[in-house]
Amino acid sequence: MKSILKKQYVGIISAFLFILLGAFSMYGQSYPQSMLINKEWVIRIPGKSFYSINLYTDGEVITKMFVDGVMADTVLKKPYYLSDVIVDKFEPDFVANSKSGKYIVVLHKDKDGKESVMLLEILELTDIYLKTKHLENGGIAEYRVENEEVK
């Protein structure tokens, strides 16, 4: 009788752990905003003289583009926040208030002022490496920190 109860107990614990681990893998890892902000994230295209730098602050991503080492005239500034779930609408109240997430949610405005949401899935994030996937077009981007933290 005791061995049957032990087997049932072990079975219940195993099922619980299986469900719990499945939930974690389904939602993926959530990254703290502190790993992202105040660093110059550089993306370079091999064989090209073009590169860009993204600087994430508490609620804004600032993009600077360079050609042949010279910064372009346009500096892009866009509000963003982190989210643990895929969203289809930008929530301004989350800007500077969401401190962790798996997705970078950016408010994009085109030349005509039309707004859209750009979703980037964080595939990997370390102190010096950021890999994202653009959820609309599937593009993968790899950034590296080449300078010290920006204060």
Side-chain angles (χ1 to χ4, degrees):
M1 183 72 161
K2 284 186 179 181
S3 75
I4 292 173
L5 288 175
K6 276 186 181 179
K7 286 181 183 178
Q8 288 178 340
Y9 182 69
V10 169
I12 290 170
I13 296 290
S14 297
F16 176 74
L17 289 174
F18 179 76
I19 291 169
L20 185 63
L21 290 174
F24 279 126
S25 66
M26 182 174 84
Y27 290 106
Q29 181 173 353
S30 184
Y31 297 92
Q33 185 185 39
S34 61
M35 289 182 69
L36 190 64
I37 63 173
N38 298 326
K39 297 177 184 179
E40 291 187 338
W41 296 99
V42 180
I43 184 168
R44 295 184 183 274
I45 301 170
K48 303 287 182 187
S49 61
F50 166 84
Y51 67 95
S52 72
I53 296 175
N54 284 352
L55 172 65
Y56 290 88
T57 65
D58 197 29
E60 186 174 58
V61 58
I62 302 164
T63 303
K64 301 174 187 175
M65 292 174 257
F66 295 81
V67 178
D68 294 325
V70 178
M71 189 171 92
D73 293 335
T74 305
V75 174
L76 304 173
K77 295 181 179 185
K78 299 178 182 182
Y80 85 96
Y81 61 88
L82 297 178
S83 175
D84 283 320
V85 296
I86 295 173
V87 300
D88 57 0
K89 180 181 167 197
F90 190 84
E91 298 290 346
D93 292 342
F94 293 166
V95 173
N97 292 318
S98 178
K99 300 302 180 194
S100 67
K102 180 170 177 54
Y103 301 96
I104 302 171
V105 183
V106 181
L107 180 61
H108 176 75
K109 289 185 184 179
D110 66 15
K111 292 178 183 178
D112 298 325
K114 183 180 175 191
E115 295 182 348
S116 62
V117 175
M118 181 173 66
L119 278 172
L120 302 172
E121 179 180 3
I122 301 172
L123 300 176
E124 188 175 344
L125 177 59
T126 69
D127 289 338
I128 60 168
Y129 179 74
L130 170 63
K131 184 176 183 179
T132 63
K133 178 179 180 181
H134 192 290
L135 292 186
E136 186 175 334
N137 64 26
I140 303 291
E142 295 181 85
Y143 299 85
R144 290 185 178 13
V145 173
E146 295 183 358
N147 299 322
E148 293 295 317
E149 285 193 22
V150 178
K151 300 293 178 188

